[in-house]
Amino acid sequence: MPQLRFRAVEEALRRPQISFEIKESKISEIYGINVFDREKMQKYLSTEAFESVVSAIDEGRRIERKVAAQVAAGMKAWAMERGATHYTHWFHPLNGSTAEKHDAFFSLGKNNMAFETFSGDLLVQQEPDASSFPSGGIRNTFEARGYSAWDPSSPAFVLEQTLCIPTIFVSYTGEALDFKTPHLKSLNALDKAATEVCQFFDKDVKKVISNLGWEQEYFLVDEALYNARPDLALTGRTLMGHAAAKDQQLEDHYFGSIPERVMLFMKHFEMECYKLGIPVKTRHNEVAPNQFECAPIFEEANLAVDHNQLLMSLMDKVARMHRFRVLFHEKPFRGVNGSGKHCNWSLLTNTGVNLLSPGGTPKNNLQFLAFLVNSIKAVHDHSALLLGSIASEANTHRLGANEAPPAIMSVFIGKTLSRVLDEIEERVSDKKMTPDEKTELKLDIIGKIPEILLDNTDRNRTSPFAFTGNRFEFRAVGSSASCASPMIVLNTAMAEQLVNFKIEVDKLIAKGVKKDEAIFQIIRKTIVASKKIRFEGNGYSEDWVKEAAKRGLPNIADATEAFTTFLKPSSVKLFNNFNVLSDRELHARFEIRNEIFIKKVQIEARVLADLAINHIIPTVIAYQNVLIDNVKGLKDLFPNDSEFEEMASPQKQTIKRISEHLRNIREKVKEMVDKRKEANQITDIAKRAEAYSKVIKPYIEEIRYNIDKLELIVDNQMWPLPKYRELLFIR
Ligand code: ADP
Ligand code: MG
C-alpha cells in the first residue's frame, strides 16, 4: 500500500519532461487569433450582416433569420480557416461548469457527396437534451427538452478544432437553466436604471455597461500525488491530512519567485488565453504554498464571465499536459488559505465615464457620490441575498475561516470617503439650503473628492465588499464559482436602488426643489438608511462579529441557510420586478443549490468512509501489530516485571491510543452511515440539505480528527496517502 505513496512522491520529484515548448511570440500578434471578433466579422461578413450583428451587440436588437444565415456562412468560413471541423453551442448550466455537444460541419448531400455546412438556424438555436443538467424541478413537470440560443454579445471562438458559440440555455417553457440568461437580464436592468440616473447629470448618456475584472486563485498539485489521493481526485479537497510542520507561517510564498515548472504552466495557459482573446495580465504566488493567482484586464461583465469559465477549463487542460492538477476548490487543504475569486465591479457610460471613479468636474463628482452611495444601499438592502449568491458547500470551509471575509456582508470605503459621507449627513438637511451653504458644501466636499484617488492606498483586505478607488471588489466569491451568480444579485439590487433613487429625487423636483439640492437630500437619506452596512475595521476580528450582531446584520455561515435567502420576499420581489428570475426559476435555483450541496457532502462522506475503513484502519492495525510484536519481544528479553514495564510502557500507551482512535473512527463511520440513511428519507430537499449540513458534516470533521492524530503516530513508511508536506511542497 505505502508503495503507492512513495512511488507518487518519487514520480513527482522526477521533474516531468514536458515536450511543450513556449514560442516567445509577441502577444499582440496572437491576441484574439481564434476569436470571431468585430475585425474578423468585418472581413467575413457582408455589410448588412456585420451591421446587424453590431447593432445586436450594442443595442440588443434581434437578428433576422436571413442575416443569421449570412453570419453562419461567414463564421463557418473563418472557423474552417482556423482549422475547425466541428461546431458547438457553448453554455453554462447550473452545475457551474460549461457544456458543449460537438457536431461536425460535415454532412452528406445527394449522391453521398460530402459537404461542410452550417446554417443560420444551427447558429441561432439548438436543442440539446436538457435532461442531464440540473433543472430544479423545471423538467419534472414539463418536457426534458431545452434549447440553447446564440448570445451575439459574446463572440464565437475556435477551441481544439471546434467552433464554440456562446449561448443561453433555457427550458422548452422558457425558464432559464443557466447563469447567462439572468445575468444578461440583470445587466439590461442595470443599464436602464443607471442610464436614467445619469440623465440627471449628463443628457448624452445613453447606455451604461458593467465591467468585471475577476482575480482567480488556484492551487497546483503534482499529478502523481493527486492520483494517490482519492479524496482530492473525487471531491476536489483533502478530507484528511495533518498540517505540515511548515506551511504559510513565514509568508514566504506570497509574491515570491514563481517556481520554474509552474512558470512554464502559466506561460502555456496564458498563451492559450491570448489566442482566445482573454486579456490575462497579472500572475503571482498566493499566500499558501502551491497557491497562485491570475487576473485579466477587466472587460464587459458578460464577456468577463465567459472568459473566466473558459479560463478555468483551459487551465484544467493545460495543467494535465504539465502533469499538474489545478484545484479550484475553495478549501483544498485544511489549515492553509483557501481560494477565492475576487470580482471587481464598476459601471461605465457610453460617454466613457466610470461612474465609480471620482471625476475631474464637480458635476461628475456628485454623480460619483450618487453611484457610490446607491451601491452601498443596494448591498445593504440585499446583503443576505448576496451571501446566498456565493454560498456553496465548499465556500463554507473558507468564509469566516480567518483568511477570508466572514459570512457577514459589510462595505468598506476608506477613511476619506467615510468622512465625506459623514459630512453630507451632517450638513445637508431637508430644509432649503442657502446659496452660501450650497457653495460651501460643493467646495468642501465635492471639490475635494479627486484627492481620494491619491488616498487609495487606504485598503482593507478583510472586507468582503471594498471600494478600491474606481470600483468595488467583492471578495467573498468562491474560486470555483461562476462570477455570474453574485453579479446577477449585485446588478439587480443596484438597478432597484437606482430606480428608487430616481423616484425620490423626481418627487422632490416635482415639489419645486432644485435638482442639485434634491440629489443632495436623497443622497443624504440614502447614506443614513444604509449606514449600518459600512464597516472600516478588521473584518476578521471577533469584535466585528459581535458588533455586526448588534447592528442586526445577517451572519450566515451555513450554506443551506444562505440558500433560503433566494426565497425571501424581498428577493422574490427584486427578481420579479426586474424580470430577471421568475418565482419558478428562483425555486429551481434554490433546489439545485440544495441538491448540489447534498451530493457534495454525500460524496465526501462516502469517500471518507472508504478511506478510513479500507486504507487507514488496515495500515494502523499493521503498525499496531508492529508495536505489539515489539512489546512481546521485550517481554521475552526482559522477564523482570519492572524492567519490562519501563521498556514497554510507551509502546503500550501508543497501542492504547491507537485503539481509541480506531474505535472512534469505526463508531463515527457507522453512525455517519446510519445518519445519512436517515437524512436520505427526508423528502423536503431543503430540510435534507440542512441535515447533511448540521448532522453529516460534523462526522466528517470528527473522523478526520482521529485520522490526523493517527498520522502523527503511525510509521511514516507505512502511511498510505501523500502527506500535506508532499502535496504542498513538491512541485
Ligand atoms: P489586487 O490584487 O490589488 O486587487 P489585481 O491586479 O490582482 O489587484 O486585480 C485587480 C483586478 O481589478 C483586475 O482584474 C483588474 O482588471 C480589475 N479592475 C481594475 N480596474 C477596474 C475597474 N474600473 N472595473 C472593474 N475591474 C477593474
Ligand atoms: Mg484584489
Side-chain angles (χ1 to χ4, degrees), residues 210-216 254-255 279 281-284 286 293-299 342-348 354 356-357 459 461 468-473 475:
S210 305
N211 278 325
L212 168 63
W214 40 261
E215 299 159 55
Q216 178 72 55
Y254 195 61
F255 282 177
K281 170 109 176 146
T282 310
R283 54 163 105 106
H284 60 80
E286 260 303 328
E293 179 184 300
C294 136
I297 298 168
F298 65 88
E299 299 176 280
H342 297 177
C343 289
N344 294 270
W345 172 83
S346 65
L347 301 172
L348 183 74
N354 175 355
L356 289 176
S357 178
R459 287 190 140 203
R461 295 249 155 222
T468 54
N470 62 358
R471 61 187 188 268
F472 276 104
E473 182 171 344
R475 301 208 182 99

Side-chain angles (χ1 to χ4, degrees), residues 68-312:
Q70 289 181 31
V71 178
M75 221 184 243
K76 186 193 81 179
W78 167 78
M80 284 177 59
E81 274 175 35
R82 296 300 313 153
T85 55
H86 287 62
Y87 63 90
T88 180
H89 277 196
W90 182 80
F91 53 95
H92 309 176
L94 290 167
N95 58 18
S97 61
T98 54
E100 45 203 83
K101 171 182 155 249
H102 298 189
D103 280 302
F105 289 130
F106 158 79
S107 65
L108 286 178
K110 281 186 200 140
N111 312 323
N112 264 0
M113 298 289 278
F115 291 93
E116 260 99 17
T117 55
F118 183 51
S119 69
D121 289 348
L122 288 172
L123 164 65
V124 172
Q125 189 172 317
Q126 280 186 33
E127 277 186 37
D129 177 10
S131 59
S132 49
F133 299 111
S135 75
I138 282 176
R139 72 162 186 270
N140 290 343
T141 33
F142 295 88
E143 282 182 280
R145 277 191 299 171
Y147 64 89
S148 52
W150 181 30
D151 164 23
S153 62
S154 182
F157 54 91
V158 169
L159 179 62
E160 291 165 354
Q161 294 165 1
T162 301
L163 169 67
C164 300
I165 299 148
T167 58
I168 58 164
F169 181 47
V170 292
S171 77
Y172 211 71
T173 42
E175 276 101 359
L177 294 174
D178 67 350
F179 285 110
K180 193 190 260 284
T181 310
H183 187 220
L184 286 170
K185 288 179 174 175
S186 75
L187 289 167
N188 259 328
L190 180 52
D191 169 17
K192 242 179 97 197
T195 303
E196 289 200 358
V197 169
C198 285
Q199 292 282 311
F200 284 138
F201 306 93
D202 183 354
K203 295 280 175 219
D204 288 339
V205 174
K206 301 286 180 246
K207 191 176 171 67
V208 174
I209 64 162
S210 305
N211 278 325
L212 168 63
W214 40 261
E215 299 159 55
Q216 178 72 55
E217 294 179 341
Y218 60 95
F219 278 86
L220 285 176
V221 174
D222 180 89
E223 189 171 61
L225 296 166
Y226 174 95
N227 286 335
R229 289 285 311 216
D231 48 353
L232 256 189
L234 298 177
T235 72
R237 76 169 177 122
T238 53
L239 297 174
M240 59 183 69
H242 198 279
K246 170 188 184 290
D247 44 54
Q248 63 190 41
Q249 314 85 326
L250 297 176
E251 297 183 346
D252 47 359
H253 188 61
Y254 195 61
F255 282 177
S257 68
I258 298 170
E260 191 190 336
R261 186 180 161 200
V262 174
M263 187 62 116
L264 203 63
F265 156 73
M266 287 178 171
K267 286 185 178 165
H268 190 173
F269 85 73
E270 285 169 4
M271 218 44 98
E272 298 304 316
C273 283
Y274 292 134
K275 289 191 220 157
L276 289 164
I278 306 174
V280 284
K281 170 109 176 146
T282 310
R283 54 163 105 106
H284 60 80
N285 290 340
E286 260 303 328
V287 176
N290 262 357
Q291 191 188 25
F292 307 93
E293 179 184 300
C294 136
I297 298 168
F298 65 88
E299 299 176 280
E300 187 281 318
N302 177 41
L303 188 59
V305 169
D306 283 4
H307 279 168
N308 180 249
Q309 294 286 343
L310 191 51
L311 170 105
M312 289 197 286

Side-chain angles (χ1 to χ4, degrees), residues 94 179 330 383-399 406-407 409 474 476-482 485-486 489 555-566 589-590 592-598 600 693 697:
L94 290 167
F179 285 110
E330 279 72 6
S383 62
L385 181 60
L386 273 167
L387 284 173
S389 75
I390 51 123
S392 68
E393 198 280 318
N395 213 14
T396 53
H397 294 284
R398 177 178 159 260
L399 292 185
M409 277 306 289
F474 191 12
V477 187
S479 48
S480 69
S482 161
S485 177
V489 175
N555 179 354
I556 317 179
D558 184 285
T560 61
E561 191 188 333
F563 300 152
T564 62
T565 60
F566 287 24
R589 261 147 235 260
F590 172 71
I592 291 166
R593 292 280 178 127
N594 279 302
E595 194 181 313
I596 292 174
F597 183 94
I598 293 167
K600 292 249 156 112
S693 176
K697 269 166 75 95

